[in-house]
Amino acid sequence: MTDPAPRFPAVEPPDTGRARTVSRLLARSVPGRALGRLGDLGAQLAGVQAGADPAPFARPRAVVVAARHGIAARGLSAWDESATERLLAQLAAGGGPAHSAARAAGATVRVVDEFDEPTGAIDTSPAMTAAACADAIARGMQVADEEVDSGTDLIIPGNVGVGDTTIAAAVYGTLTRTEPVLAIGRGSGIDDEVWKIKVAAIRDAMFHARGFADDVERVLAEISGPDMAFLVGLIAQSAVRRTPVLLDGALPTVAAYVAERLAPGTKRWIIAAGLSPEPAHIGCLQALELTPVLALDITAGQATGALAALPQLNMAAEMVGEVLDLLRAE
């Protein structure tokens, strides 16, 4: 590629020693053992947060990026192409699943709607140029820096755009050598006829990328979109800045898999929020060795599933912190 993606600084590991200490303390007490996976989450939070004990997140922020995928013109979604603009208008007005979930979870939402040119249809042409891909990654890195510098202590990636699960499946299938029919899910709730159209589009995109399947940056440029490239930059740079990421959804999770390939160690700063029926989502969680907090089958995008899991994380932090206080008082 003539325009290589920005290079990420080395990703430092979380404080695994602190996490192990919390785990050992919990294992020694009846209340700690009784917390089950909430105790595991609390110990994990102790490793990725700055304090000695886990604490509820004070300034969690969902960053939702939009894109117009050219492949959506193939009619491979239960949504029509214009749905992207309607969803964005809803978000701009403070509505939609993201804002509802954020209000309930005590988070805020930032919408990034800067990639307004339709991408190439990935079954017949490149999604974007190498330069456009590099710019989108760099913009994601910049937004991560802006958020961390402003005090955000948890970044929650999200996306909106018709055709996003097609993009996720094509990238996942290419990078993991997974057959198209095994990489594809039902996305927005498509029927069998639309499923056939979607499989054909993914198959053709993967065939196009077969000769450079080991070139992660080129795969990203040719068969993804600026939203995925943006999220790769956002997630990897968050890890570089030692800021945890709460992850949900097929496209953000594939972006996290790509981020780990480009910035090894990123996965250790990621908390998997939920599980959806999308094979690309499931496969990338397995590749990243992440166990989700919830399994609600949410496919709404917009970071909705992650925001739904956020109260569980904060509860885990509260409960583990209380147990640790009791142990110290004994």
Side-chain angles (χ1 to χ4, degrees):
M1 295 175 66
T2 56
D3 296 273
R7 298 301 172 195
F8 297 100
V11 178
E12 297 179 3
D15 191 335
T16 54
R18 187 159 54 212
R20 285 194 298 268
T21 297
V22 171
S23 292
R24 284 197 299 269
L25 289 171
L26 294 177
R28 292 173 185 169
S29 71
V30 173
R33 293 194 301 272
L35 292 180
R37 282 213 62 225
L38 287 177
D40 297 337
L41 284 170
Q44 183 181 5
L45 293 179
V48 298
Q49 292 179 323
D53 292 346
F57 290 101
R59 294 190 62 180
R61 179 82 144 165
V63 179
V64 180
V65 60
R68 285 81 175 167
H69 296 293
I71 196 67
R74 301 285 185 262
L76 39 67
S77 172
W79 296 93
D80 60 76
E81 281 186 89
S82 63
T84 298
E85 305 307 325
R86 296 198 301 273
L87 291 169
L88 282 169
Q90 189 179 48
L91 283 169
H99 283 291
S100 298
R103 285 192 292 269
T108 57
V109 179
R110 174 176 179 174
V111 179
V112 178
D113 184 16
E114 302 171 7
F115 309 111
D116 52 6
E117 291 296 321
T119 67
I122 61 171
D123 58 345
T124 58
S125 59
M128 53 188 166
T129 65
C133 182
D135 287 347
I137 292 174
R139 180 60 178 141
M141 296 171 68
Q142 181 183 25
V143 169
D145 285 335
E146 291 171 359
E147 291 297 331
V148 175
D149 289 343
S150 68
T152 296
D153 57 359
L154 178 70
I155 289 180
I156 308 170
N159 68 293
V160 57
V162 177
D164 58 353
T165 57
T166 298
I167 299 299
V171 174
Y172 166 70
T174 298
L175 294 179
T176 62
R177 269 68 168 187
T178 301
E179 291 294 322
V181 292
L182 300 178
I184 182 180
R186 293 286 175 167
S188 53
I190 56 177
D191 59 25
D192 289 345
E193 292 305 311
V194 178
W195 186 86
K196 293 175 185 176
I197 297 171
K198 189 171 181 177
V199 167
I202 294 168
R203 177 201 64 206
D204 292 347
M206 288 178 59
F207 183 80
H208 167 69
R210 72 194 186 284
F212 50 86
D214 291 321
D215 186 339
V216 178
E217 293 174 20
R218 186 172 178 189
V219 169
L220 200 61
E222 302 247 355
I223 63 169
S224 76
D227 51 348
M228 183 178 285
F230 173 92
L231 291 178
V232 169
L234 179 77
I235 293 167
Q237 187 64 14
S238 296
V240 168
R241 296 294 305 273
R242 303 181 63 82
T243 301
V245 173
L246 183 60
L247 188 67
D248 180 69
L251 190 139
T253 304
V254 177
Y257 174 74
V258 174
E260 174 64 24
R261 296 273 296 260
L262 296 178
T266 294
K267 68 180 182 180
R268 301 181 70 179
W269 291 93
I270 295 173
I271 302 165
L275 188 64
S276 78
E278 288 297 306
H281 187 184
I282 298 168
C284 286
L285 285 179
Q286 292 173 340
L288 293 168
E289 302 177 298
L290 299 174
T291 301
V293 177
L294 302 173
L296 299 178
D297 291 345
I298 293 174
T299 58
Q302 303 181 27
T304 309
L307 288 162
L310 177 56
Q312 306 301 315
L313 266 64
N314 285 337
M315 181 172 64
E318 288 273 12
M319 296 176 77
V320 169
E322 183 174 316
V323 169
L324 294 175
D325 288 341
L326 289 172
L327 290 172
R328 293 188 185 105
E330 290 178 353

